[in-house]
Amino acid sequence: MSQALRSAKERAFQIVEKASRIRVQDARDNIGARTTGRQLKKGHNQMGHTQGALERAAKPPLGWIWGDFFRPWQRMYPGEKLFNADINSRREYIPLSLIELARLIDLGWINPSRPIDVSALCATQKFQINPKIRQYGFDLTEEGADSFPYPIDIEVQYATQSAIAAVEKAGGRVRTAYYDVESLEAAVNPKAWFEKGKVIPKRRAPPASLIEYYMDAKNRGYLSEETEMEKERQLSADVRGYVLPDVKVSSALKSIDQVFHGIPSGSVVSLADKKVFAPKNELHREYYNRQVSDQLYS
């Protein structure tokens, strides 16, 4: 018996001596030592997922009744405004950071000497805006504000105070402006709009919930007074501790109801003839020449 044990030990030592060194990839379980997650029965789960997959799966938004996707809570009780009531009506803005904007300028996708608006940003094919799903433009964020060097003239729909200060510190100009759904559809894809022969619409006044934002010079709203905006520019420079440079932008501002630079509202653009046809009817001229400010205060 002892001789058998001794021979077994010797054989084991010989096997270990000839074997390779233990590695991490060799330290794994034997085949069949572990089993996969428990499969639920068909009556419990029609898709056959594991319990862990169900626990980590994406869940519906708050207030959505599980299993009844056509009757969310906020639709069953529309009078309750504090429980996710605006989930189907809230506005969305595509984030645009300063570092991404500088990268597009460095790569030549955007010309910093020309005005930058929704049409210029969408022409890069790097962003997609769909007004039909409540996307109302761009949100200029402050990522990359410490090293933004370009004196640009940019128009966005929402902007943080740090992003505004970074552009103005470089000698640029920022405006926040509202686009209604029809105007935004024209601005997102001008070529498709022109080829259909549609009249360039005039931008409508913002809704009541956004009037205060776009009339505030602190937000560089397009409905604010120029004198108040100059005071806010100087105040922002004093608070952040930099010398306010002269504005290096020479391009003219769009009117408050204008969609495209250099093309008045109510015109029709012919790409084949490379011409812009202005309205001749007096009634049409009166309608398209009426300013948004007249609608606000009338």
Side-chain angles (χ1 to χ4, degrees):
M1 185 65 179
S2 59
Q3 185 176 2
L5 290 175
R6 193 181 305 112
S7 60
K9 290 181 179 180
E10 291 177 355
R11 287 197 302 271
F13 282 130
Q14 292 177 359
I15 294 174
V16 173
E17 185 180 3
K18 294 180 181 180
S20 61
R21 298 184 64 182
I22 297 178
R23 296 176 295 177
V24 176
Q25 54 266 35
D26 294 335
R28 58 177 179 268
D29 297 323
N30 295 329
I31 299 177
R34 293 178 182 268
T35 58
T36 57
R38 181 175 63 92
Q39 294 285 339
L40 299 181
K41 295 182 180 179
K42 184 177 180 181
H44 295 167
N45 183 10
Q46 296 292 336
M47 299 301 294
H49 292 298
T50 62
Q51 182 66 29
L54 292 177
E55 292 176 356
R56 293 185 292 272
K59 303 301 188 297
L62 184 64
W64 205 281
I65 299 177
W66 184 266
D68 193 351
F69 297 102
F70 299 98
R71 287 198 312 156
W73 194 92
Q74 62 271 17
R75 290 181 184 171
M76 294 175 63
Y77 304 95
E80 178 57 54
K81 298 181 179 180
L82 302 179
F83 192 85
N84 233 5
D86 62 340
I87 188 172
N88 295 322
S89 62
R90 66 182 63 161
R91 300 178 183 86
E92 297 180 1
Y93 298 94
I94 306 301
L96 172 64
S97 63
L98 290 174
I99 190 172
E100 177 67 16
L101 183 59
R103 189 181 74 88
L104 293 175
I105 295 175
D106 293 338
L107 294 175
W109 291 93
I110 294 178
N111 188 353
S113 62
R114 295 183 178 180
I116 302 173
D117 56 0
V118 174
S119 300
L121 292 171
C122 291
T124 62
Q125 300 295 322
K126 301 297 181 182
F127 307 98
Q128 292 182 354
I129 293 182
N130 188 357
K132 296 182 180 180
I133 57 174
R134 307 180 309 279
Q135 293 180 351
Y136 278 79
F138 291 94
D139 175 15
L140 189 63
T141 61
E142 65 272 11
E143 184 182 1
D146 297 335
S147 59
F148 188 78
Y150 298 104
I152 59 174
D153 181 13
I154 186 169
E155 179 192 76
V156 291
Q157 286 58 62
Y158 191 87
T160 61
Q161 298 299 318
S162 300
I164 293 174
V167 175
E168 293 178 348
K169 183 179 179 181
R173 182 173 60 188
V174 180
R175 286 292 186 275
T176 56
Y178 173 77
Y179 280 76
D180 57 276
V181 174
E182 185 182 19
S183 300
L184 194 59
E185 288 181 355
V188 166
N189 194 347
K191 182 180 179 182
W193 190 271
F194 297 156
E195 289 177 346
K196 293 178 182 178
K198 291 185 177 181
V199 177
I200 298 176
K202 57 185 298 187
R203 281 194 293 178
R204 299 179 182 178
S209 59
L210 294 178
I211 285 290
E212 183 177 357
Y213 179 84
Y214 289 113
M215 294 187 69
D216 192 353
K218 183 179 181 181
N219 302 323
R220 308 302 188 267
Y222 73 123
L223 300 179
S224 59
E225 298 292 338
E226 191 66 31
T227 56
E228 295 295 329
M229 198 174 301
E230 190 64 29
K231 293 179 181 178
E232 289 294 338
R233 291 180 69 248
Q234 186 62 51
L235 179 61
S236 177
D238 296 340
V239 170
R240 288 173 169 79
Y242 63 87
V243 178
L244 184 64
D246 296 333
V247 178
K248 303 177 183 178
V249 177
S250 59
S251 58
L253 287 170
K254 291 192 295 186
S255 61
I256 57 179
D257 62 348
Q258 193 174 357
V259 178
F260 302 106
H261 279 279
I263 305 178
S265 301
S267 304
V268 176
V269 177
S270 174
L271 297 180
D273 300 331
K274 297 182 180 181
K275 294 182 179 181
V276 178
F277 299 93
K280 296 183 178 180
N281 187 282
E282 293 296 331
L283 185 62
H284 291 173
R285 287 184 179 179
E286 181 182 357
Y287 170 77
Y288 285 106
N289 291 336
R290 186 185 181 189
Q291 298 293 330
V292 175
S293 56
D294 300 337
Q295 304 176 22
L296 293 175
Y297 300 110
S298 58

